[in-house]
Amino acid sequence: MDRTQLLLVGLPLFLFCSDIIQLFAPPPPKPAAHRHASDSRPLIQQQPPPLEFPTQKDGGIGYGNTVSIDFCSSCSYRGTAVTMKNMLESQFPGMHVVLANYPPPLLKRLLSKVVPIVQFGAIGIIVVGEQIFPRLGFAAPPQWYYSMRANRFGSMASIWLLGNFLQSFLQSSGAFEVYCNGELVFSKLKESRFPGEIELKDLVGRRIANSRVMGAL
């Protein structure tokens, strides 16, 4: 072999052997990290200061005063009552605002309990009236029964809707009464309207001022 052939054969063998040696050789050690003298001290993490929430202080404009808003819950007045409550609490900090239902008179409440009984009774007569009337002593059902029987589903739907409307009317009081420290400051039953926000704020503020003057005497 001449030198060129030896070079062509020996160079691949040399590269192959070097790859085998690097494959089985242990990895070189990692260089040690250089630390300064100040790095030997443990790091002290600074804790962020605790959050401080402001606490509500007594002695606000409305502190010690209570406003009661009695409204008709079946009349969908709750939204108006909540709006007035938020307004008073923001205008008079520290004021306690209570929301409550204003019930209708006792007679209307009793009648509202009777309406469902009449509803189901009338529907029952339409369905099985031919067996009910003979037991009540009637030889034959009255004429109005046959008229309602001819349009059974329409009659039952009319009775159900009319009864629900009557029951809703009997359960509603239409009230929106505002009391400040037990004294009536606005009455929807008397005024036949809702109070304005500015109007109610002035009425309650005047009542609080009068209470302070009376307490100072």
Side-chain angles (χ1 to χ4, degrees):
M1 290 186 178
D2 56 2
R3 292 182 178 180
T4 304
Q5 292 177 347
L6 289 175
L7 183 62
L8 294 175
V9 174
L11 183 59
L13 290 174
F14 174 76
L15 295 176
F16 177 74
C17 293
S18 63
D19 292 338
I20 294 297
I21 294 172
Q22 290 181 2
L23 181 63
F24 292 99
K30 295 181 180 180
H34 298 283
R35 291 186 178 181
H36 299 285
S38 59
D39 294 341
S40 60
R41 294 177 299 178
L43 296 177
I44 301 176
Q45 297 182 355
Q46 296 181 355
Q47 296 290 338
L51 298 177
E52 296 182 358
F53 296 94
T55 56
Q56 184 177 0
K57 297 182 180 180
D58 297 338
I61 300 176
Y63 180 73
N65 297 279
T66 301
V67 172
S68 300
I69 302 178
D70 298 344
F71 62 97
C72 174
S73 59
S74 62
C75 301
S76 302
Y77 292 169
R78 177 173 292 275
T80 305
V82 172
T83 300
M84 295 299 180
K85 177 179 184 297
N86 296 333
M87 182 273 296
L88 291 174
E89 290 177 344
S90 63
Q91 294 294 329
F92 304 97
M95 175 177 289
H96 182 54
V97 181
V98 181
L99 303 181
N101 179 42
Y102 191 97
L106 179 60
L107 180 59
K108 294 181 67 175
R109 280 181 285 169
L110 293 177
L111 291 176
S112 67
K113 302 296 183 182
V114 178
V115 171
I117 300 175
V118 176
Q119 276 182 299
F120 287 105
I123 294 175
I125 290 175
I126 294 175
V127 176
V128 293
E130 295 178 354
Q131 287 80 23
I132 294 178
F133 283 106
R135 296 185 179 183
L136 295 178
F138 292 91
Q143 187 63 34
W144 58 264
Y145 167 75
Y146 292 105
S147 300
M148 298 180 67
R149 179 82 174 183
N151 188 12
R152 180 187 307 178
F153 296 103
S155 300
M156 289 190 294
S158 300
I159 292 173
W160 186 259
L161 293 176
L162 181 61
N164 290 345
F165 173 77
L166 184 59
Q167 188 177 18
S168 177
F169 171 76
L170 293 174
Q171 290 178 348
S172 64
S173 59
F176 195 89
E177 315 300 293
V178 183
Y179 301 87
C180 182
N181 297 328
E183 181 180 350
L184 181 66
V185 295
F186 185 86
S187 173
K188 181 178 178 296
L189 297 177
K190 296 179 179 179
E191 301 291 338
S192 299
R193 62 178 179 87
F194 285 100
E197 293 188 11
I198 299 177
E199 178 186 9
L200 187 59
K201 182 187 69 173
D202 294 340
L203 292 173
V204 173
R206 193 177 302 117
R207 173 57 187 167
I208 293 175
N210 293 337
S211 299
R212 289 179 178 177
V213 172
M214 295 297 296
L217 296 180

